[in-house]
Amino acid sequence: MRQNKCMEKQPMARTEKPMFWIAYSLYTRTKLGYIFHKRQMRKARERYPAGHSRTQPTIINGIKIIPVPILSDNYSYVVIDTASNMAVVVDPADPQPVQACLEEEGVALQAVLCTHKHWDHSGGNRALKRRYRSCRVYGNAMDNIPGLTHPLSDKDTIDFGTRLRFRAFYTPGHTAGHIIYLLDGRAIGGPSSLFSGDLVFLSGCGRMFEGNASTMLSSLDTVGSLNDDTLLWPGHEYAKDNLVFAAEVEPCNVVQKQKLLWVLQQRGQRLCTCPSTLAEEKQYNPFLRSHSQDLHRALGLQQKQDEDWTSYRARVLEELRRRKDIYKDR
């Protein structure tokens, strides 16, 4: 008899890749990483001369957020205060399309907000700093951010222009010094915007390169504590793959199925899938649902008698990330 997919899930086999960690160390700790990044930039520019995705700006009461598609699936974000004609940019890995956007908008770059050290998020910091002499580069000193001028700590606030107020949250796990940036919606009379780097994607989260599941859970809980109407601006266009994986893990999630249909339509036209809202993410992103009993049942996990709730949720997250690492190398 054919079994109902909602009733039983087969476990995925684990595949170890020790060479990956050697490559990761070379990428993050030596000049070879930047050489590799420059090669990836050249290839992406040739393959996607107009960018990997078609994007549209979002305007919230005079604040303009422009996703800039870079590399093969990354996004940088240009955030403009139209009242002061001033901009900040988040994670400018390729300075060329970012600079083109700034020039097209006719705005001055005041700052770079860098979420973490990986070259596909930080590779353009120094070039933009040279081009715009007064530009400041923000990030966590723990993460060895290229071109860093203004180190940040957890919950620091930084103001730009007349109404741009960002709060930095320390969210380790993907890297030791990862930071996310929340654009305060109260200052602009609208929803807040979260620039999440490689912590959270649409229906996904980043790999735990430099932290364990407990560390990553704490960082994800920081996201979960934010207002439901917060707009999520992730560092990569991973929506399709992430939702297909989520459907494998939790096949009876109706909201997730509806979102996947929409994403398939968007990606069929090479359209950007961000932003989503945190209210949406809490319904279908399995990495923000480690508390969900439906997810526990789907994973075949149960809390042990001597296991506290936080430790159990960390074990759920670890199992999710393990399956995702096997499903797709992201």
Side-chain angles (χ1 to χ4, degrees), residues 29-46:
R29 298 180 183 179
T30 73
K31 291 183 179 179
L32 291 175
Y34 185 60
I35 293 170
F36 174 78
H37 171 67
K38 289 197 295 184
R39 179 173 175 268
Q40 295 302 101
M41 274 198 303
R42 287 194 297 269
K43 289 171 64 176
R45 289 172 183 176
E46 292 171 1

Side-chain angles (χ1 to χ4, degrees), residues 96-200:
Q96 183 174 293
V98 170
Q99 184 174 329
C101 177
L102 293 168
E103 292 175 354
E104 182 178 347
E105 295 293 326
V107 294
L109 180 62
Q110 190 168 352
V112 167
L113 305 181
C114 194
T115 60
H116 63 292
K117 65 188 174 186
H118 291 161
W119 293 111
D120 66 325
H121 292 258
S122 65
N125 291 1
R126 290 193 177 104
L128 289 173
K129 182 72 175 66
R130 288 193 298 268
R131 175 67 177 80
Y132 302 92
R133 294 294 183 179
S134 63
C135 174
R136 292 166 281 174
V137 178
Y138 292 85
N140 192 332
M142 289 177 61
D143 233 22
N144 194 26
I145 302 294
L148 181 68
T149 62
H150 287 66
L152 293 171
S153 299
D154 187 37
K155 296 184 176 61
D156 280 352
T157 58
I158 37 180
D159 296 297
F160 306 103
T162 58
R163 294 188 300 155
L164 293 182
R165 167 163 285 192
F166 290 88
R167 183 178 292 272
F169 291 93
Y170 175 48
T171 52
H174 183 66
T175 65
H178 195 286
I179 280 181
I180 58 177
Y181 297 92
L182 183 71
L183 175 60
D184 190 347
R186 293 171 297 182
I188 60 176
S192 296
S193 283
L194 179 65
F195 299 91
S196 60
D198 279 0
L199 173 63
V200 176

Side-chain angles (χ1 to χ4, degrees), residues 264-312:
L264 291 174
Q265 291 177 344
Q266 291 290 103
R267 296 311 297 159
Q269 304 173 69
R270 291 183 52 234
L271 294 174
C272 175
T273 60
C274 55
S276 58
T277 68
L278 291 188
E280 291 180 277
E281 294 298 320
K282 291 171 186 178
Q283 293 181 81
Y284 57 64
N285 187 333
F287 298 95
L288 293 177
R289 290 167 48 75
S290 59
H291 60 280
S292 167
Q293 292 187 0
D294 289 341
L295 180 61
H296 300 168
R297 284 190 289 268
L299 292 173
L301 295 178
Q302 289 185 335
Q303 186 175 5
K304 300 173 183 177
Q305 284 189 344
D306 60 346
E307 187 175 35
D308 65 65
W309 180 240
T310 301
S311 297
Y312 176 48

